[in-house]
Amino acid sequence: MEAHWQGLIDAFDDQLRLAARSEHTRLAYRRDLTRLAELLADTVPAAVDGPQIQRALGQLRREELSPRTLARMLSTWRSLYDWMVRRDWIAATPCAGLRAPRAGKRLPNVLSVDGAMHLLDSAPEDEHDIRDQAIFELMYSSGLRLSETVALNLSDIDLGEGLVKVHGKGNRERILPVGKQALAALHRWLPLRQPAEGEEALFLSRRGSRISSRQLARRLDSWALRSGSEQHVHPHMLRHSFASHMLQSSGDLRAVQELLGHANLATTQIYTSLDFQHLAKVYDGAHPRARKKNSDE
């Protein structure tokens, strides 16, 4: 490493030590700054400009570093140059306005269609299980968020018409269809519903008050374990599974957007990636020119 870079990194490390930063943090900073020094070895640190930093990021990207790693390294470089600005060694940071590549969106976990059916078809053992089955069936049937589910009141359900009125994000109201299985589960639950005085909630705790989000999540986790599910099932997975399965069956992205209550179609489009993954698996398993040969063939 060139002496001008080595001296600067050592001085910055001393500053981190005086600021009581951990040894782990200091080593991480030193590694990121050493990499910058290697990329810009021919340039004095104080003379580095924005395009050079951008090119350094480009080089690291070609080395297939993850977006998260690139973002961390840029943050380290920015910290160094901000420190140099505060010490009046340079007039402005060359990192101003630069952004690392965005990390790709993580695809949500979903149940397979068979997995969802197996989960929901588990036989209830008592009245609380009957309530839980009604909750889970409704969430999967209509794509409800956890917060929307616990906020439902008895008056929001129209069993005759098979509809549920939901108040979503931004207090946007939407009317959703309720499937046959969910309606049957609700019919089993409602005669058992014993609300505390003045309680309007559709789904109740053991005390007759509105069930909480935490209670519901715990009940679903317990239900999934008891049903023998191979996945950890959380409430939002039912909504993700609803969206994915609807898109696989209908291919109608706009309709799924309306059902989910997404204000922006781009939010719904993540499920097209899940749909493509499903189609790719079907293709790999079915197409004679895609199937991999067994090693013993």
Side-chain angles (χ1 to χ4, degrees):
M1 189 192 308
E2 296 293 335
H4 42 255
W5 279 103
Q6 183 68 65
L8 179 64
I9 293 172
D10 288 344
F12 187 62
D13 182 64
D14 288 341
Q15 177 63 34
L16 293 175
R17 181 172 48 78
L18 290 172
R21 304 300 291 270
S22 71
E23 183 177 357
H24 175 78
T25 298
R26 289 167 50 210
L27 287 173
Y29 272 65
R30 181 174 284 276
R31 282 194 300 269
D32 290 347
L33 293 175
T34 298
R35 190 70 184 97
L36 178 63
E38 292 169 353
L39 292 167
L40 301 177
D42 295 334
T43 305
V44 175
V48 170
D49 58 21
Q52 287 175 300
I53 296 289
Q54 191 69 64
R55 286 194 293 273
L57 284 173
Q59 175 59 40
L60 295 177
R61 191 173 188 179
R62 287 189 291 274
E63 294 174 10
E64 299 185 352
L65 271 66
S66 71
R68 180 171 298 188
T69 298
L70 293 177
R72 188 205 68 226
M73 295 184 81
L74 178 58
S75 176
T76 299
W77 301 350
R78 184 177 284 115
S79 295
L80 172 71
Y81 278 103
D82 286 346
W83 174 70
M84 292 173 68
V85 169
R86 291 194 298 272
R87 295 179 70 89
D88 292 326
W89 290 353
I90 55 175
T93 172
C95 298
L98 297 182
R99 293 183 179 179
R102 290 185 178 181
K105 289 186 177 179
R106 293 181 61 185
L107 296 181
N109 293 323
V110 300
L111 295 162
S112 66
V113 173
D114 287 344
M117 298 307 100
H118 180 74
L119 176 76
L120 297 172
D121 286 341
S122 294
E125 298 178 357
D126 56 30
E127 64 183 48
H128 301 295
D129 284 352
I130 292 173
R131 175 205 61 192
D132 293 345
Q133 190 172 48
I135 292 173
F136 308 148
E137 284 280 8
L138 183 59
M139 293 181 76
Y140 176 69
S141 168
S142 304
L144 303 186
R145 298 179 175 94
L146 173 60
S147 59
E148 294 170 346
T149 305
V150 298
L152 287 175
N153 290 329
L154 185 62
S155 59
D156 292 324
I157 284 285
D158 186 334
L159 295 179
E161 295 295 328
L163 298 172
V164 60
K165 180 171 63 177
V166 177
H167 297 278
K169 289 185 177 180
N171 204 33
R172 292 190 295 270
E173 183 181 291
R174 64 191 194 279
I175 308 295
L176 301 172
V178 179
K180 180 175 66 175
Q181 296 293 338
L183 286 173
L186 287 166
H187 274 293
R188 291 191 294 271
W189 155 243
L190 289 177
L192 303 174
R193 177 180 175 273
Q194 296 183 10
E197 184 176 356
E199 182 58 73
E200 300 178 357
L202 174 61
F203 297 117
L204 306 174
S205 69
R206 295 174 186 268
R207 297 180 179 180
S209 58
R210 187 180 301 274
I211 193 171
S212 70
S213 296
R214 181 172 295 181
Q215 287 173 318
L216 194 159
R218 283 201 301 261
R219 294 293 294 185
L220 178 56
D221 185 48
S222 175
W223 182 284
L225 286 172
R226 198 174 68 204
S227 72
S229 174
E230 296 180 355
Q231 294 176 265
H232 168 63
V233 182
H234 54 83
H236 218 59
M237 188 183 287
L238 295 177
R239 176 172 161 89
H240 290 322
S241 300
F242 160 85
S244 178
H245 299 166
M246 283 291 297
L247 195 58
Q248 287 175 19
S249 299
S250 70
D252 192 332
L253 190 63
R254 287 286 182 183
V256 174
Q257 177 194 5
E258 290 295 323
L259 291 167
L260 291 173
H262 286 161
N264 193 325
L265 185 63
T267 309
T268 316
Q269 284 175 327
I270 190 170
Y271 296 105
T272 62
S273 298
L274 292 172
D275 192 36
F276 177 79
Q277 284 185 345
H278 169 75
L279 292 175
K281 287 180 180 178
V282 171
Y283 173 83
D284 288 342
H287 196 287
R289 302 289 278 183
R291 291 196 296 265
K292 294 180 179 179
K293 292 184 178 181
N294 294 329
S295 59
D296 56 354
E297 286 185 356

